[in-house]
Amino acid sequence: MDDHQDPRDPGQPREDVDNWLHARIDPLPPPPGTFDLIKRRVRRRRYRQVAVSAAVAAAVAGAVVVVPRVATSVLHVNQNSANGAAAAGPTSPTAHASRGNIGSGADSTGTPTPVPTVTPPPPVPQNFRPTSATFVGLNTGWVIGQAGVQGKCFTAYCTSIARTSDAGKTWAGVPAPKTGYPDGASGVGQIRFLDKNYGWAFGPQLYATTDGGQTWAEQDTGGKRVTALETVGHRAFAIFATCTGTGVGFAAQCTQFSLYSSLKGASDWTPVTGAGNLSDGGQNSSASLVLTSTKGYLLAPDGSLYTGPVDGTGSWQQVSSDPAGSVTCSPGAAQADGQPSGALLTTANGARAVLACTMPGGGANVFTSADEGAVWRQAGTVSGGRVTTAATQAGGLIVLSTSNGIEVSNNNGQSWQASAAGSSGPPGGFGWVGMTSPTQGVALPADPFQHTAWFTFDGGHTWQPQAVSGP
């Protein structure tokens, strides 16, 4: 075909425009420096992208507040510390993103946002001597006592408290009531907590906390001394006594006892109907109080037993005038902690109650009741040293602390065996024992200068000491 012919109509010549469109075209070279200009623009665009990424990262970093790990104990500062530091509440930092200059970690006004800090709990004061313990579970517990040597206090008032969150493996100092050791009508030496917030320190004065021990407030007892206090549900029950004992014997020379009750968080105490003005004919004596989840038991100075509801809805009534039958079993004089020395009362879950009647030469006759104290039967006899306290748990477990060690029964007191307390128990034996479960319990030496609390994890058969001191 002729190049000048139109392919759509052979034989016709092409026009000049068609010839131009079908001709081979060579591209024109770019102006000098074009490629260098493109490279510079690409580099500037990359720099801007890197700068934006860095700004975004800085903004994110400024918007996030890193929350430090909070210490196990929620109680941080001992208000009775040696340096007189004031009590401080637990730190509860909140992570948030501000709307201001987030690139510099500032709030909406441009003010720099401080990073929250958590004050670690202080150590247990030196030479701490525990005299009472309380637990609100298997791991969390408190002990109260004194810290000092040769009349010199290591805290503002000697009275100190230590707390554990791991069943005694470690301890930390916590705030304590601003009062001294028991001395006649003043001071405190015993402690009970209802839960992790509500607690009471007593004997003979009465202090309460509603914030886990961060602060303590003294409560009015009308001039009476508090010789016993226990907690259950939403309430605390306490024995208010008329006493004239002096020195460390705050519960000595007591002639009249009344049961009072208070709701948690309240500051007023009201008499419990049916359990007031109890006495042993004017003789110096003592009284004992134990509580279950539904019913309370009070062993009066004359040996009579009273029971009643623990929800504050009704009065208490006398159910037995002589639980031990023909065996003389009256509470007798008070021990150093305010508890009876002659008759030791305890209960397990349900209706079963236990009464250990101490014998002058040591040991005790043990009585049990399966019907809330109406009828009692002698179970067995435990030999050994002077019995100081009794504790029970479900399954027939009864544990007694004695001046020789700890005695254990797994069949409701019918037979007994001495527990193993490490290589040897503390000198003077134990002054108190409590069981937090059928397998776990805690005991305090009769001599607080041992500076220890003893724990069992096998139902009281073996015990090991844990020093109540700082890490």
Side-chain angles (χ1 to χ4, degrees):
M1 178 183 299
D2 189 347
D3 290 339
H4 296 281
Q5 291 181 346
D6 189 340
R8 295 167 296 180
D9 187 6
Q12 296 295 327
R14 287 186 177 182
E15 296 182 358
D16 293 339
V17 173
D18 290 336
N19 292 334
W20 180 79
L21 290 174
H22 287 83
R24 178 177 179 180
I25 298 175
D26 295 326
L28 295 174
T34 298
F35 291 110
D36 292 336
L37 177 63
I38 293 174
K39 290 179 181 180
R40 287 195 297 272
R41 288 179 177 177
V42 170
R43 283 196 297 269
R44 284 197 296 269
R45 180 174 296 177
R46 287 179 178 174
Y47 292 154
R48 285 196 298 270
Q49 290 175 344
V50 171
V52 170
S53 300
V56 171
V60 173
V64 177
V65 178
V66 179
V67 182
R69 175 179 292 180
V70 180
T72 302
S73 173
V74 299
L75 309 174
H76 295 300
V77 178
N78 187 341
Q79 65 186 19
N80 291 339
S81 61
N83 59 11
T91 302
S92 299
T94 302
H96 65 280
S98 64
R99 296 183 179 180
N101 184 2
I102 61 176
S104 62
D107 59 20
S108 58
T109 64
T111 303
T113 303
V115 177
T117 59
V118 174
T119 303
V124 178
Q126 298 180 44
N127 201 35
F128 180 71
R129 306 184 300 278
T131 57
S132 178
T134 180
F135 272 72
V136 296
L138 296 180
N139 296 315
T140 303
W142 296 258
V143 292
I144 192 171
Q146 306 298 316
V149 61
Q150 296 180 349
K152 179 182 178 181
C153 295
F154 289 138
T155 62
Y157 294 89
C158 277
T159 300
S160 303
I161 296 176
R163 183 183 190 270
T164 180
S165 298
D166 52 17
K169 294 183 179 65
T170 59
W171 298 86
V174 300
K178 293 184 177 180
T179 188
Y181 53 85
D183 183 10
S186 65
V188 294
Q190 305 295 305
I191 191 168
R192 295 291 184 273
F193 266 78
L194 175 65
D195 53 31
K196 291 184 178 181
N197 293 317
Y198 296 93
W200 292 263
F202 63 98
Q205 290 180 279
L206 179 60
Y207 287 78
T209 179
T210 61
D211 54 10
Q214 290 296 316
T215 57
W216 294 87
E218 185 177 3
Q219 300 194 317
D220 184 18
T221 63
K224 303 293 182 65
R225 302 183 188 183
V226 179
T227 61
L229 187 148
E230 300 295 342
T231 65
V232 64
H234 301 286
R235 287 183 171 271
F237 289 81
I239 295 178
F240 288 15
T242 301
C243 312
T244 58
T246 59
V248 295
F250 73 93
Q253 307 297 315
C254 298
T255 56
Q256 193 175 71
F257 303 80
S258 295
L259 183 64
Y260 281 71
S261 176
S262 177
L263 279 170
K264 68 179 184 180
S267 59
D268 58 317
W269 289 78
T270 57
V272 176
T273 304
N277 299 322
L278 306 176
S279 70
D280 189 15
Q283 300 296 316
N284 298 324
S285 187
S286 59
S288 180
L289 174 68
V290 292
L291 306 175
T292 70
S293 59
T294 59
K295 187 174 289 292
Y297 296 78
L298 188 153
L299 184 64
D302 63 355
S304 300
L305 184 68
Y306 292 77
T307 65
V310 295
D311 58 2
T313 59
S315 63
W316 287 38
Q317 298 178 347
Q318 181 178 337
V319 296
S320 175
S321 60
D322 188 6
S326 60
V327 179
T328 301
C329 189
S330 63
Q335 301 180 73
D337 60 358
Q339 294 303 298
S341 60
L344 307 172
L345 180 68
T346 184
T347 64
N349 294 333
R352 187 168 65 87
V354 175
L355 185 68
C357 298
T358 63
M359 296 184 291
N365 292 313
V366 179
F367 296 82
T368 62
S369 172
D371 54 7
E372 299 181 345
V375 177
W376 294 80
R377 293 181 173 84
Q378 184 167 358
T381 300
V382 57
S383 60
R386 178 177 56 86
V387 180
T388 55
T389 57
T392 58
Q393 274 290 334
L397 176 65
I398 305 175
V399 180
L400 302 178
S401 62
T402 78
S403 57
N404 289 347
I406 291 179
E407 298 283 336
V408 181
S409 173
N410 291 109
N411 53 11
N412 291 315
Q414 297 181 35
S415 61
W416 295 84
Q417 65 179 25
S419 67
S423 57
S424 62
F430 293 91
W432 178 86
V433 66
M435 297 299 296
T436 56
S437 77
T439 58
Q440 187 170 328
V442 60
L444 295 180
D447 178 12
F449 282 89
Q450 299 297 314
H451 311 293
T452 57
W454 292 61
F455 288 83
T456 181
F457 300 95
D458 60 3
H461 295 287
T462 60
W463 297 78
Q464 295 293 334
Q466 293 286 352
V468 182
S469 60

